[in-house]
Amino acid sequence: MSPADPEDGHAIHCRLDELLAARGMTLTELSEAVGVSLVNLSVLKNDRARAIRFSTLTAICRALDCQVGDLLIVEG
């Protein structure tokens, strides 16, 4: 099983919902703050993203005042 094989799936979970709720922020507000489309953030939030740019990850973490490990966790 290769980490790059897309059919193997992944165990990464995005905690965006929880972080937004804790900060009283909506996905729309985050979208405006980081300059990423609502659709792309929704894909990330629902664990359907296959990749994320470091610049996007940095912008989200800055907007939510969190670390990458707060946003993305490995399950299982």
Side-chain angles (χ1 to χ4, degrees), residues 6-60:
E7 295 196 11
D8 290 334
H10 61 79
I12 302 296
H13 170 65
C14 182
R15 297 184 60 244
L16 192 52
D17 264 347
E18 296 131 83
L19 293 173
L20 287 171
R23 285 150 180 80
M25 183 183 274
T26 67
L27 198 61
T28 301
E29 290 170 333
L30 180 63
S31 172
E32 292 168 358
V34 300
V36 174
S37 76
L38 192 56
V39 171
N40 285 340
L41 286 178
S42 181
V43 167
L44 180 63
K45 177 180 74 85
N46 293 310
D47 291 331
R48 294 190 320 258
R50 296 175 55 100
I52 184 169
R53 294 177 186 266
F54 284 146
S55 58
T56 300
L57 196 53
T58 300
I60 291 171

Side-chain angles (χ1 to χ4, degrees), residues 30 34 56-69 71:
L30 180 63
V34 300
T56 300
L57 196 53
T58 300
I60 291 171
C61 287
R62 285 184 177 153
L64 295 177
D65 190 28
C66 69
Q67 297 295 313
V68 175
L71 181 64

